[in-house]
mmCIF file of all heavy atoms in Angstrom:
data_model
loop_
_atom_site.group_PDB
_atom_site.id
_atom_site.type_symbol
_atom_site.label_atom_id
_atom_site.label_comp_id
_atom_site.label_asym_id
_atom_site.label_seq_id
_atom_site.Cartn_x
_atom_site.Cartn_y
_atom_site.Cartn_z
ATOM 1 N N THR A 1 149.052 127.764 135.481
ATOM 2 C CA THR A 1 148.722 126.881 134.369
ATOM 3 C C THR A 1 147.680 127.546 133.489
ATOM 4 O O THR A 1 147.353 128.711 133.670
ATOM 5 C CB THR A 1 148.208 125.516 134.908
ATOM 6 O OG1 THR A 1 148.054 124.610 133.831
ATOM 7 C CG2 THR A 1 146.889 125.681 135.637
ATOM 8 N N SER A 2 147.162 126.812 132.528
ATOM 9 C CA SER A 2 146.070 127.272 131.661
ATOM 10 C C SER A 2 145.185 126.084 131.339
ATOM 11 O O SER A 2 145.679 124.992 131.035
ATOM 12 C CB SER A 2 146.613 127.888 130.368
ATOM 13 O OG SER A 2 145.561 128.152 129.464
ATOM 14 N N LEU A 3 143.877 126.293 131.397
ATOM 15 C CA LEU A 3 142.919 125.251 131.041
ATOM 16 C C LEU A 3 142.452 125.368 129.597
ATOM 17 O O LEU A 3 141.650 124.551 129.152
ATOM 18 C CB LEU A 3 141.693 125.326 131.963
ATOM 19 C CG LEU A 3 141.949 125.175 133.455
ATOM 20 C CD1 LEU A 3 140.628 125.257 134.223
ATOM 21 C CD2 LEU A 3 142.659 123.874 133.770
ATOM 22 N N ARG A 4 142.928 126.389 128.886
ATOM 23 C CA ARG A 4 142.445 126.685 127.539
ATOM 24 C C ARG A 4 140.925 126.893 127.552
ATOM 25 O O ARG A 4 140.238 126.569 126.594
ATOM 26 C CB ARG A 4 142.807 125.567 126.552
ATOM 27 C CG ARG A 4 144.290 125.310 126.396
ATOM 28 C CD ARG A 4 144.542 124.272 125.317
ATOM 29 N NE ARG A 4 144.090 124.763 124.023
ATOM 30 C CZ ARG A 4 144.868 125.364 123.129
ATOM 31 N NH1 ARG A 4 146.145 125.543 123.388
ATOM 32 N NH2 ARG A 4 144.375 125.767 121.979
ATOM 33 N N CYS A 5 140.427 127.449 128.642
ATOM 34 C CA CYS A 5 138.983 127.650 128.786
ATOM 35 C C CYS A 5 138.730 128.709 129.850
ATOM 36 O O CYS A 5 138.781 128.417 131.053
ATOM 37 C CB CYS A 5 138.301 126.337 129.158
ATOM 38 S SG CYS A 5 136.514 126.486 129.378
ATOM 39 N N SER A 6 138.465 129.938 129.419
ATOM 40 C CA SER A 6 138.192 131.019 130.370
ATOM 41 C C SER A 6 136.986 130.704 131.244
ATOM 42 O O SER A 6 136.940 131.095 132.413
ATOM 43 C CB SER A 6 137.951 132.333 129.619
ATOM 44 O OG SER A 6 139.115 132.775 128.966
ATOM 45 N N ALA A 7 135.989 130.030 130.675
ATOM 46 C CA ALA A 7 134.780 129.731 131.431
ATOM 47 C C ALA A 7 135.109 129.003 132.724
ATOM 48 O O ALA A 7 134.660 129.397 133.815
ATOM 49 C CB ALA A 7 133.820 128.892 130.578
ATOM 50 N N HIS A 8 135.899 127.942 132.649
ATOM 51 C CA HIS A 8 136.196 127.171 133.850
ATOM 52 C C HIS A 8 137.270 127.829 134.699
ATOM 53 O O HIS A 8 137.285 127.653 135.934
ATOM 54 C CB HIS A 8 136.570 125.744 133.477
ATOM 55 C CG HIS A 8 135.377 124.898 133.182
ATOM 56 N ND1 HIS A 8 134.580 124.372 134.181
ATOM 57 C CD2 HIS A 8 134.792 124.522 132.010
ATOM 58 C CE1 HIS A 8 133.574 123.689 133.644
ATOM 59 N NE2 HIS A 8 133.690 123.767 132.329
ATOM 60 N N GLU A 9 138.145 128.604 134.109
ATOM 61 C CA GLU A 9 139.119 129.329 134.917
ATOM 62 C C GLU A 9 138.415 130.345 135.815
ATOM 63 O O GLU A 9 138.696 130.426 137.024
ATOM 64 C CB GLU A 9 140.144 130.005 134.002
ATOM 65 C CG GLU A 9 141.052 129.004 133.316
ATOM 66 C CD GLU A 9 142.007 129.617 132.323
ATOM 67 O OE1 GLU A 9 141.928 130.845 132.072
ATOM 68 O OE2 GLU A 9 142.844 128.871 131.776
ATOM 69 N N TYR A 10 137.496 131.106 135.252
ATOM 70 C CA TYR A 10 136.769 132.075 136.068
ATOM 71 C C TYR A 10 135.828 131.392 137.054
ATOM 72 O O TYR A 10 135.627 131.886 138.178
ATOM 73 C CB TYR A 10 135.994 133.039 135.175
ATOM 74 C CG TYR A 10 136.833 134.182 134.654
ATOM 75 C CD1 TYR A 10 137.090 134.328 133.292
ATOM 76 C CD2 TYR A 10 137.366 135.134 135.515
ATOM 77 C CE1 TYR A 10 137.863 135.377 132.814
ATOM 78 C CE2 TYR A 10 138.140 136.179 135.050
ATOM 79 C CZ TYR A 10 138.387 136.302 133.697
ATOM 80 O OH TYR A 10 139.153 137.341 133.223
ATOM 81 N N ARG A 11 135.239 130.280 136.677
ATOM 82 C CA ARG A 11 134.394 129.548 137.624
ATOM 83 C C ARG A 11 135.216 129.107 138.835
ATOM 84 O O ARG A 11 134.774 129.229 139.982
ATOM 85 C CB ARG A 11 133.747 128.338 136.935
ATOM 86 C CG ARG A 11 132.515 128.676 136.089
ATOM 87 C CD ARG A 11 132.018 127.462 135.313
ATOM 88 N NE ARG A 11 131.661 126.368 136.195
ATOM 89 C CZ ARG A 11 130.401 125.938 136.420
ATOM 90 N NH1 ARG A 11 129.380 126.543 135.824
ATOM 91 N NH2 ARG A 11 130.171 124.923 137.222
ATOM 92 N N LEU A 12 136.404 128.598 138.603
ATOM 93 C CA LEU A 12 137.249 128.172 139.709
ATOM 94 C C LEU A 12 137.652 129.348 140.592
ATOM 95 O O LEU A 12 137.674 129.236 141.830
ATOM 96 C CB LEU A 12 138.488 127.456 139.174
ATOM 97 C CG LEU A 12 138.238 126.062 138.593
ATOM 98 C CD1 LEU A 12 139.483 125.562 137.873
ATOM 99 C CD2 LEU A 12 137.834 125.083 139.677
ATOM 100 N N LEU A 13 137.966 130.482 139.975
ATOM 101 C CA LEU A 13 138.334 131.670 140.749
ATOM 102 C C LEU A 13 137.163 132.137 141.605
ATOM 103 O O LEU A 13 137.315 132.437 142.796
ATOM 104 C CB LEU A 13 138.800 132.778 139.805
ATOM 105 C CG LEU A 13 139.255 134.097 140.434
ATOM 106 C CD1 LEU A 13 140.339 133.867 141.476
ATOM 107 C CD2 LEU A 13 139.752 135.048 139.351
ATOM 108 N N ALA A 14 135.963 132.188 141.023
ATOM 109 C CA ALA A 14 134.783 132.649 141.759
ATOM 110 C C ALA A 14 134.403 131.704 142.888
ATOM 111 O O ALA A 14 133.777 132.120 143.873
ATOM 112 C CB ALA A 14 133.604 132.809 140.808
ATOM 113 N N GLN A 15 134.777 130.427 142.781
ATOM 114 C CA GLN A 15 134.456 129.445 143.817
ATOM 115 C C GLN A 15 135.545 129.324 144.879
ATOM 116 O O GLN A 15 135.421 128.511 145.797
ATOM 117 C CB GLN A 15 134.212 128.074 143.168
ATOM 118 C CG GLN A 15 132.969 128.036 142.298
ATOM 119 C CD GLN A 15 132.771 126.674 141.663
ATOM 120 O OE1 GLN A 15 132.179 125.780 142.244
ATOM 121 N NE2 GLN A 15 133.288 126.516 140.451
ATOM 122 N N GLY A 16 136.600 130.107 144.764
ATOM 123 C CA GLY A 16 137.659 130.068 145.764
ATOM 124 C C GLY A 16 138.687 128.987 145.549
ATOM 125 O O GLY A 16 139.500 128.707 146.435
ATOM 126 N N HIS A 17 138.709 128.378 144.357
ATOM 127 C CA HIS A 17 139.642 127.288 144.077
ATOM 128 C C HIS A 17 140.892 127.767 143.342
ATOM 129 O O HIS A 17 141.761 126.947 143.003
ATOM 130 C CB HIS A 17 138.954 126.207 143.248
ATOM 131 C CG HIS A 17 137.742 125.637 143.908
ATOM 132 N ND1 HIS A 17 137.704 125.318 145.246
ATOM 133 C CD2 HIS A 17 136.508 125.346 143.413
ATOM 134 C CE1 HIS A 17 136.516 124.839 145.554
ATOM 135 N NE2 HIS A 17 135.766 124.853 144.469
ATOM 136 N N ALA A 18 140.985 129.038 143.047
ATOM 137 C CA ALA A 18 142.158 129.638 142.417
ATOM 138 C C ALA A 18 142.251 131.072 142.912
ATOM 139 O O ALA A 18 141.311 131.607 143.516
ATOM 140 C CB ALA A 18 142.059 129.584 140.892
ATOM 141 N N ASP A 19 143.394 131.704 142.644
ATOM 142 C CA ASP A 19 143.646 133.039 143.187
ATOM 143 C C ASP A 19 143.709 134.138 142.141
ATOM 144 O O ASP A 19 143.529 135.312 142.487
ATOM 145 C CB ASP A 19 144.955 133.022 143.974
ATOM 146 C CG ASP A 19 144.925 132.031 145.116
ATOM 147 O OD1 ASP A 19 144.320 132.343 146.159
ATOM 148 O OD2 ASP A 19 145.492 130.932 144.950
ATOM 149 N N PHE A 20 143.960 133.787 140.881
ATOM 150 C CA PHE A 20 144.053 134.850 139.878
ATOM 151 C C PHE A 20 143.892 134.295 138.474
ATOM 152 O O PHE A 20 144.106 133.109 138.220
ATOM 153 C CB PHE A 20 145.390 135.603 139.988
ATOM 154 C CG PHE A 20 146.612 134.769 139.687
ATOM 155 C CD1 PHE A 20 147.113 134.662 138.395
ATOM 156 C CD2 PHE A 20 147.281 134.097 140.711
ATOM 157 C CE1 PHE A 20 148.242 133.902 138.121
ATOM 158 C CE2 PHE A 20 148.418 133.337 140.440
ATOM 159 C CZ PHE A 20 148.892 133.237 139.150
ATOM 160 N N CYS A 21 143.490 135.188 137.571
ATOM 161 C CA CYS A 21 143.452 134.930 136.131
ATOM 162 C C CYS A 21 144.114 136.106 135.427
ATOM 163 O O CYS A 21 143.835 137.270 135.763
ATOM 164 C CB CYS A 21 142.019 134.816 135.614
ATOM 165 S SG CYS A 21 141.123 133.343 136.113
ATOM 166 N N LEU A 22 144.946 135.826 134.456
ATOM 167 C CA LEU A 22 145.576 136.863 133.650
ATOM 168 C C LEU A 22 144.992 136.808 132.246
ATOM 169 O O LEU A 22 144.853 135.720 131.672
ATOM 170 C CB LEU A 22 147.089 136.642 133.593
ATOM 171 C CG LEU A 22 147.950 137.832 133.178
ATOM 172 C CD1 LEU A 22 147.943 138.898 134.271
ATOM 173 C CD2 LEU A 22 149.387 137.381 132.894
ATOM 174 N N GLY A 23 144.640 137.970 131.702
ATOM 175 C CA GLY A 23 144.111 138.046 130.350
ATOM 176 C C GLY A 23 144.997 138.913 129.471
ATOM 177 O O GLY A 23 145.260 140.060 129.815
ATOM 178 N N ILE A 24 145.462 138.364 128.368
ATOM 179 C CA ILE A 24 146.335 139.088 127.445
ATOM 180 C C ILE A 24 145.499 139.577 126.267
ATOM 181 O O ILE A 24 144.854 138.782 125.592
ATOM 182 C CB ILE A 24 147.477 138.185 126.931
ATOM 183 C CG1 ILE A 24 148.227 137.538 128.101
ATOM 184 C CG2 ILE A 24 148.421 138.983 126.030
ATOM 185 C CD1 ILE A 24 148.946 138.503 129.006
ATOM 186 N N ALA A 25 145.508 140.908 126.001
ATOM 187 C CA ALA A 25 144.661 141.479 124.950
ATOM 188 C C ALA A 25 143.268 140.871 125.030
ATOM 189 O O ALA A 25 142.816 140.208 124.096
ATOM 190 C CB ALA A 25 145.291 141.275 123.567
ATOM 191 N N PRO A 26 142.590 141.065 126.142
ATOM 192 C CA PRO A 26 141.376 140.281 126.441
ATOM 193 C C PRO A 26 140.217 140.542 125.487
ATOM 194 O O PRO A 26 139.840 141.686 125.238
ATOM 195 C CB PRO A 26 141.021 140.720 127.869
ATOM 196 C CG PRO A 26 141.625 142.073 128.006
ATOM 197 C CD PRO A 26 142.881 142.041 127.196
ATOM 198 N N LYS A 27 139.657 139.465 124.982
ATOM 199 C CA LYS A 27 138.472 139.562 124.139
ATOM 200 C C LYS A 27 137.237 139.576 125.029
ATOM 201 O O LYS A 27 137.161 138.814 125.996
ATOM 202 C CB LYS A 27 138.439 138.389 123.157
ATOM 203 C CG LYS A 27 139.635 138.380 122.208
ATOM 204 C CD LYS A 27 139.645 137.145 121.326
ATOM 205 C CE LYS A 27 140.852 137.149 120.398
ATOM 206 N NZ LYS A 27 140.916 135.934 119.558
ATOM 207 N N PRO A 28 136.256 140.410 124.723
ATOM 208 C CA PRO A 28 135.130 140.585 125.654
ATOM 209 C C PRO A 28 134.353 139.316 125.934
ATOM 210 O O PRO A 28 133.891 139.096 127.052
ATOM 211 C CB PRO A 28 134.264 141.643 124.975
ATOM 212 C CG PRO A 28 134.676 141.642 123.526
ATOM 213 C CD PRO A 28 136.123 141.279 123.531
ATOM 214 N N TRP A 29 134.191 138.454 124.938
ATOM 215 C CA TRP A 29 133.416 137.223 125.150
ATOM 216 C C TRP A 29 134.132 136.250 126.077
ATOM 217 O O TRP A 29 133.497 135.398 126.668
ATOM 218 C CB TRP A 29 133.092 136.544 123.821
ATOM 219 C CG TRP A 29 134.221 136.590 122.840
ATOM 220 C CD1 TRP A 29 135.270 135.731 122.731
ATOM 221 C CD2 TRP A 29 134.411 137.582 121.810
ATOM 222 N NE1 TRP A 29 136.108 136.120 121.709
ATOM 223 C CE2 TRP A 29 135.602 137.244 121.124
ATOM 224 C CE3 TRP A 29 133.685 138.700 121.406
ATOM 225 C CZ2 TRP A 29 136.090 138.001 120.063
ATOM 226 C CZ3 TRP A 29 134.171 139.457 120.343
ATOM 227 C CH2 TRP A 29 135.357 139.100 119.688
ATOM 228 N N ASP A 30 135.442 136.393 126.249
ATOM 229 C CA ASP A 30 136.178 135.528 127.163
ATOM 230 C C ASP A 30 136.163 136.033 128.602
ATOM 231 O O ASP A 30 136.308 135.236 129.537
ATOM 232 C CB ASP A 30 137.641 135.397 126.721
ATOM 233 C CG ASP A 30 137.818 134.571 125.473
ATOM 234 O OD1 ASP A 30 137.011 133.644 125.254
ATOM 235 O OD2 ASP A 30 138.762 134.839 124.702
ATOM 236 N N HIS A 31 136.036 137.353 128.806
ATOM 237 C CA HIS A 31 136.330 137.926 130.117
ATOM 238 C C HIS A 31 135.212 138.734 130.761
ATOM 239 O O HIS A 31 135.209 138.870 131.987
ATOM 240 C CB HIS A 31 137.583 138.807 130.011
ATOM 241 C CG HIS A 31 138.810 138.054 129.612
ATOM 242 N ND1 HIS A 31 139.584 137.349 130.510
ATOM 243 C CD2 HIS A 31 139.383 137.876 128.391
ATOM 244 C CE1 HIS A 31 140.597 136.773 129.863
ATOM 245 N NE2 HIS A 31 140.498 137.075 128.584
ATOM 246 N N ALA A 32 134.285 139.297 130.005
ATOM 247 C CA ALA A 32 133.297 140.207 130.596
ATOM 248 C C ALA A 32 132.491 139.537 131.699
ATOM 249 O O ALA A 32 132.298 140.090 132.785
ATOM 250 C CB ALA A 32 132.372 140.768 129.518
ATOM 251 N N ALA A 33 132.007 138.333 131.444
ATOM 252 C CA ALA A 33 131.212 137.629 132.449
ATOM 253 C C ALA A 33 132.063 137.249 133.654
ATOM 254 O O ALA A 33 131.659 137.429 134.806
ATOM 255 C CB ALA A 33 130.563 136.391 131.840
ATOM 256 N N GLY A 34 133.241 136.711 133.414
ATOM 257 C CA GLY A 34 134.098 136.265 134.507
ATOM 258 C C GLY A 34 134.503 137.384 135.432
ATOM 259 O O GLY A 34 134.579 137.195 136.655
ATOM 260 N N VAL A 35 134.759 138.555 134.879
ATOM 261 C CA VAL A 35 135.113 139.706 135.707
ATOM 262 C C VAL A 35 133.996 140.020 136.699
ATOM 263 O O VAL A 35 134.237 140.204 137.901
ATOM 264 C CB VAL A 35 135.420 140.931 134.818
ATOM 265 C CG1 VAL A 35 135.365 142.225 135.623
ATOM 266 C CG2 VAL A 35 136.792 140.783 134.170
ATOM 267 N N LEU A 36 132.756 140.064 136.219
ATOM 268 C CA LEU A 36 131.641 140.376 137.116
ATOM 269 C C LEU A 36 131.424 139.255 138.134
ATOM 270 O O LEU A 36 131.195 139.523 139.318
ATOM 271 C CB LEU A 36 130.367 140.625 136.320
ATOM 272 C CG LEU A 36 129.150 141.054 137.162
ATOM 273 C CD1 LEU A 36 129.401 142.395 137.837
ATOM 274 C CD2 LEU A 36 127.886 141.126 136.303
ATOM 275 N N LEU A 37 131.486 138.013 137.697
ATOM 276 C CA LEU A 37 131.305 136.893 138.623
ATOM 277 C C LEU A 37 132.317 136.951 139.759
ATOM 278 O O LEU A 37 131.975 136.722 140.930
ATOM 279 C CB LEU A 37 131.434 135.567 137.886
ATOM 280 C CG LEU A 37 130.349 135.226 136.861
ATOM 281 C CD1 LEU A 37 130.688 133.916 136.165
ATOM 282 C CD2 LEU A 37 128.987 135.137 137.507
ATOM 283 N N CYS A 38 133.565 137.244 139.437
ATOM 284 C CA CYS A 38 134.599 137.268 140.465
ATOM 285 C C CYS A 38 134.483 138.501 141.351
ATOM 286 O O CYS A 38 134.677 138.423 142.571
ATOM 287 C CB CYS A 38 135.979 137.180 139.820
ATOM 288 S SG CYS A 38 136.276 135.562 139.049
ATOM 289 N N ARG A 39 134.141 139.639 140.775
ATOM 290 C CA ARG A 39 133.945 140.834 141.593
ATOM 291 C C ARG A 39 132.828 140.627 142.605
ATOM 292 O O ARG A 39 132.960 140.969 143.779
ATOM 293 C CB ARG A 39 133.589 142.023 140.691
ATOM 294 C CG ARG A 39 134.769 142.697 140.029
ATOM 295 C CD ARG A 39 134.261 143.826 139.176
ATOM 296 N NE ARG A 39 135.338 144.573 138.540
ATOM 297 C CZ ARG A 39 135.156 145.446 137.574
ATOM 298 N NH1 ARG A 39 133.927 145.678 137.106
ATOM 299 N NH2 ARG A 39 136.171 146.088 137.052
ATOM 300 N N GLN A 40 131.716 140.088 142.139
ATOM 301 C CA GLN A 40 130.571 139.937 143.035
ATOM 302 C C GLN A 40 130.760 138.796 144.027
ATOM 303 O O GLN A 40 129.970 138.641 144.950
ATOM 304 C CB GLN A 40 129.292 139.730 142.216
ATOM 305 C CG GLN A 40 128.921 140.922 141.342
ATOM 306 C CD GLN A 40 128.774 142.210 142.138
ATOM 307 O OE1 GLN A 40 129.690 143.029 142.196
ATOM 308 N NE2 GLN A 40 127.618 142.391 142.766
ATOM 309 N N ALA A 41 131.821 138.007 143.845
ATOM 310 C CA ALA A 41 132.198 136.994 144.831
ATOM 311 C C ALA A 41 133.271 137.520 145.775
ATOM 312 O O ALA A 41 133.771 136.777 146.620
ATOM 313 C CB ALA A 41 132.692 135.733 144.123
ATOM 314 N N GLY A 42 133.640 138.792 145.626
ATOM 315 C CA GLY A 42 134.605 139.424 146.514
ATOM 316 C C GLY A 42 135.954 139.714 145.914
ATOM 317 O O GLY A 42 136.856 140.196 146.609
ATOM 318 N N GLY A 43 136.134 139.454 144.617
ATOM 319 C CA GLY A 43 137.423 139.661 143.974
ATOM 320 C C GLY A 43 137.582 141.046 143.378
ATOM 321 O O GLY A 43 136.730 141.923 143.528
ATOM 322 N N VAL A 44 138.686 141.234 142.676
ATOM 323 C CA VAL A 44 139.067 142.516 142.085
ATOM 324 C C VAL A 44 139.523 142.268 140.657
ATOM 325 O O VAL A 44 140.217 141.289 140.386
ATOM 326 C CB VAL A 44 140.214 143.177 142.879
ATOM 327 C CG1 VAL A 44 140.657 144.471 142.221
ATOM 328 C CG2 VAL A 44 139.807 143.424 144.326
ATOM 329 N N ALA A 45 139.144 143.158 139.744
ATOM 330 C CA ALA A 45 139.593 143.037 138.356
ATOM 331 C C ALA A 45 139.904 144.424 137.808
ATOM 332 O O ALA A 45 139.139 145.367 138.009
ATOM 333 C CB ALA A 45 138.535 142.364 137.490
ATOM 334 N N ALA A 46 141.022 144.539 137.123
ATOM 335 C CA ALA A 46 141.410 145.796 136.474
ATOM 336 C C ALA A 46 142.561 145.489 135.524
ATOM 337 O O ALA A 46 143.217 144.441 135.622
ATOM 338 C CB ALA A 46 141.843 146.845 137.501
ATOM 339 N N PHE A 47 142.802 146.413 134.608
ATOM 340 C CA PHE A 47 143.964 146.293 133.739
ATOM 341 C C PHE A 47 145.222 146.658 134.529
ATOM 342 O O PHE A 47 145.159 147.416 135.505
ATOM 343 C CB PHE A 47 143.811 147.195 132.519
ATOM 344 C CG PHE A 47 142.799 146.689 131.522
ATOM 345 C CD1 PHE A 47 141.478 147.099 131.583
ATOM 346 C CD2 PHE A 47 143.172 145.792 130.538
ATOM 347 C CE1 PHE A 47 140.544 146.628 130.671
ATOM 348 C CE2 PHE A 47 142.248 145.306 129.616
ATOM 349 C CZ PHE A 47 140.933 145.726 129.688
#
């Protein structure tokens, strides 16, 4: 699905309530923070 909100999508992923996020032509303000939050919670991010 999509929440139309990267902030809450990444928050859910970092809290273990979701398994993945896909970013299309990702804008830095939507994804830079979420990538680090999820990595430091044990996740993986790459193109």
Side-chain angles (χ1 to χ4, degrees):
T1 187
S2 172
L3 301 181
R4 300 185 63 95
C5 179
S6 294
H8 280 282
E9 291 176 355
Y10 277 116
R11 280 174 59 110
L12 288 170
L13 181 54
Q15 293 179 86
H17 302 317
D19 301 282
F20 64 89
C21 289
L22 199 70
I24 307 296
K27 298 175 181 178
W29 39 86
D30 289 329
H31 298 277
V35 162
L36 184 64
L37 293 176
C38 292
R39 279 180 178 168
Q40 296 304 98
V44 177
F47 287 92

